[in-house]
Structures are given as structure tokens and as C-alpha cells.
Amino acid sequence: MNIKDRVEKLRQLMKENQMDAYIVPSFDAHQSEYVAEHWKCRQWISGFTGSAGTVVITLEDAGLWTDGRYYIQAEKQLESSGIRLFRMMDPGVPSYTEWLADVLKEGSNVGFDGNVFSIDMVKKMERDLKAKGIELKMNKDLIGDLWEDRPEIPKGQIFTHDVKYAGKSRVEKLNEVREEMKNKGANYYILTSLDDIAWLLNIRGADVPNNPIAIANVIVAEHKCYLFIDSCKVSPLIKLELEAEGIELKASDEIQTLLGNLSNGDAVILDTNKTNIRLYNAINSSTKKIESPNITTNLKAIKNEVEIKNLKWCEIKDGLAMVKFIKWLKNSVDKTEISEIIAEERLEDFRREQEGFVGPSFDTIAGYKEHAAMMHYKANKETQYTLKNEGLFLIDSGGQYYDGTTDITRTIVLGKHSDEQKRDFTLVLKGFIALSSVKYLYGATGSNLDVLARQPIWKYGLDYKCGTGHGVGFFLNVHEGPQSIRNNNNNVILEKGMIITNEPGIYLEGKYGIRIENMMLVVEDEKTEFGQFMKFEAITYCPIDLAGINKEMLTESEKQWLNNYHQEVYTKLGPYLNEEERVWLKEETREI
């Protein structure tokens, strides 16, 4: 079936189930950003392959809502589908619930699969649709009824993430969680987000591509922790290890029974942004519900000393792979045929040479020329470019290692490029340096600092329709909250020990895209009578292409920052390179 046929068949099912609209989000039953193939329902019904977006089908119309990272990609992938693009970051564009409230008649029915909708999402729908008396039907997975060859839910084996990497045992982490539960007056805590579960229990899996997580749910009680997971995923040895530390394994579907058996004397903590509405409705109605962000989210966001030490070594290994790759690319681009996919594969080869490498941390973005203007571009054999010794090549990639997760972007000058490209490369660099070098008073959030990276770009009437930075997990998801750097109302204070990226960019549709990205550690600076000052420490070690810079546009302090950074890159990586590679790196990190 093509996309139009799938939509029409869905409409037939909607009529049979007396639904006037049906909503298909990007999430799985755990509100994950990246999901296993089984849950790629929105991709199946629309053809749009980005990681974020929601499709709404009515009996007469259809729309996809997605953010600025995917506008160009979505426009191309929705062609001839009959599904309209709603650019949700643009002024005046209604949310999909606001749109439904406008187009549906009073007393209509809206359907969706409650397993993949959070409590918060459903509450917002109820608010937005209340005025028209629209009813929600949340017990039907219509896509599952249509998708005949739908992949199974993954059953990959879990493994232990050693405390020598994690820094804290699962018993220590559970004790921290129970202390917080006690403070909040709860004796049960529901945990459904997969990276939080992996962090809490020091387990990892392979159920979601690029994310070392396992599909499961957890309930923490005062003296027991229940892990709801398919038994085939747990070896007898790991089962014994978990049970010895007070973790009882139960079948995946037993969680609803346990929640239903809670009493009116119990109190359960749950994150309404992460827990799906079906689990919420399974809780005994007389049990007290305490709505609170996941306890584990804040705990895992602040890396401990062991994690930080491991991650810095991991970043050196990743930097070595990047340096070897860039050297190979620049020396080979005019001598042999290199496609976007070949470049992507070659970089992964260099990473595989590094100790402790497990796999990529996300699908590599390897975009040449105008392909790089699509922020989350994924090269394919049909449309990929062959690289030439001219123009700009953007590569955004990362690795999963036992001792950390990496995320780095470099825009590489392959040869002759325009004055406009050099100007824009320098503007991105200026924003990148402004954020890298800021000194700020403790209490600041990413929303307070986002303007620093945008200001040089705004001066030329340009902007980028995405955030400037995100948290990064530790051998976990490459996107991790709660901290971020973006121009919204994120009120999470940047705490010592947090990891965050710095990645401003300029993306000109049909022309080129430029991004520079480092990972940074939040550290303390001086303390004065005015308070504790903070700063960022760059922990990504890789040269920034000097060939792309218009030096006349840089201030002396910006040049000094870049020279200092490049000196550190050379000092960190030089001892692990051969003589030829060191000579090359010395030139790439020369003072300007």
C-alpha cells in the first residue's frame, strides 16, 4: 500500500469505530524520542521518517505537525501523500488539538492508542476539546489493525553496566530514589522511561537502535523494586544478580495488575509527562497519586566524578577517531570517489578501532552542499551526493562507548567555497565561542543563555529553528533532559556536573548548512560576595576547520579562545597519534 491507500484504509476503520479523527504520535509506550520499529506507526502512516512529529487524520483532511529541524525533510517526504505540513514552530500555527477543536463538529469523537499518549498529552486534549464536547476514545490501536507486517516488540538481552563505569551501584541509586520518595510522602514510584530504568538498575540493552536500553517498566516500593520485563531478555546469571539486590522480576503485563491492587493507604509518584494514560487509568482509583517529574531524571543528569573521568577519556578516543577521519577525508576527496554514505561508514570504522566502542549514538548526519540544510538529513543510496574538493560537508555523529556517549558536529571545508559561506561559517563560530566562553552566575538556565549563541547570527537577519544545546546521557540516550539550551521557558538550573551540547548553526534551504558542536561540562568558576559563578568546560576534542573562517570578523578574545581550544585539542590527542597524524593535527590547530 502507498501512503494514500493507508490513509484511506485508516479512514474506513475510523468510520467503523465511529471516530471523526485519529491521532498518531511518534512515541512508544514509554514516551521515548527514538523508538523500536514496532512503534514507528507515524512513519508507517505518513512516510515521514523524522524522530519527532504527530499525524492527525480526519475523514476529510490530514496533517503532520513537526518542528524546525524537519521542515525541509517533511516537505519532501509528504509530497503526493495528501498530508499537509504544519510548521509547529512558526508564529500563528495552531497545535493539532487546537486545529481539531476548530475543524471538528460538536460531539465528535477523537481516537488514539492510549499506550503511546502521556497523561499530560491527554489532559491537554481534554482542555482544548472540552468546549465542543468532543469525546476521546483511547483504547484502539487502529494502525496495529492495518499494519500487517508490523515488527515484533524487540526481545534483546540485557547486560550489566559495570559500576567501574557508572560510579554508583544500583543499591546506592535505589536508596537515593527511596529517600526522595519518602520526602514526597510516597511508598510507590512508577518509572516507565527506558533510559531512566537503565540508569537506575545499571542495566543496558539493545532494543532501540543507537540507544543501549531495554523495553521494560519499573515500580520502586519501600523495600522492593519490581522490574516488569519479558523473561527471555534476562539471563539466569543477571536474574540472580538483580534478585540478590532486592529487584524482583515480573512479566511485562503484570504491571497493570499490581497498580490495580494498590490500596487507598498507598501513595504513588508518577511523571505525567512520561507515564502513558493506560497505566494511569490502571491505578486503583482510591490510591493517592503524586504527580512529579521523574526522580531519576535529575539524579542521572548530574554526572558523578567516576562518570566524568570516564567520559573525558571517552571523548579523547572519539576525538582520535574524528581526527583520523577528517585527515583521511581531506587527503582523499580529490583522489577517490567518496559518497555521503561512504564518508559516514568510514567514520564509524575509525570509531570501531577505539576501545569500548559499542555503536553509533544516533544515525549519522552526513550532508554535502544543500543536503546539510536539512538538520536531521539521512543519506540514502538514491539521492546521496558524491563529495568533491569544493564546498562544505557537514557531519554530525556520535558514539556509544561503555565509558560514555558522544555527540559532535564539524562542518568541513573540502575546497573552494564562497565568501557567503565563509561569512556564515564565521557567524556560527562566533555564536559557538560566545556560549563556550560565558561566565555566569549560578541559577541561570539554558533559556537565559541561548541568546548568546544566536546574537552574532541575528545581527545578519538569520536564525536556526531548533535548540542550541541538549543534555547527553552516559552510555545512554544522546538526548537527555531535563537541561537544555533553547529559547523557550525551560526553568532547569544548569548544575555542576551536567553535560550539555553547544551547537548553533545556519541552514539555507537549497544552498548549504553549517553547524559546529561540542559537548560541555558545567563547572564552578569563582565565588565572590555576589555568589557562585559558573562556566562551561569543553570536553569534545577536535579541530574546527580554520579554512572556513574569515579572521577579520573575529575579535581578539575570540581568536584567543580558539587558539587556546586548539592547543588543548593538540595536547590531548597528540600523544596517541603517529608522527604523520601529529604533523597534520599541528597544522589544523595552528594559531590564528
Side-chain angles (χ1 to χ4, degrees), residues 313 316-317 319-320 323-324 354 541 566-583 585-586 589:
W313 170 238
I316 287 174
K317 293 184 294 182
L320 292 170
V323 162
K324 290 171 185 284
Q354 302 302 319
Y541 313 114
H566 274 160
Q567 180 58 50
E568 184 178 18
V569 169
Y570 182 79
T571 302
K572 296 279 190 187
L573 304 185
Y576 306 101
L577 298 170
N578 63 37
E579 182 61 27
E580 180 185 334
E581 291 164 341
R582 273 196 300 275
V583 169
L585 182 59
K586 189 71 172 175
T589 57

Side-chain angles (χ1 to χ4, degrees), residues 505-523:
I506 290 175
Y507 311 95
L508 301 182
E509 185 174 355
K511 298 175 74 174
Y512 54 83
I514 298 165
R515 179 162 65 252
I516 303 169
E517 177 187 16
N518 273 0
M519 285 170 55
M520 307 186 301
L521 173 67
V522 180
V523 297

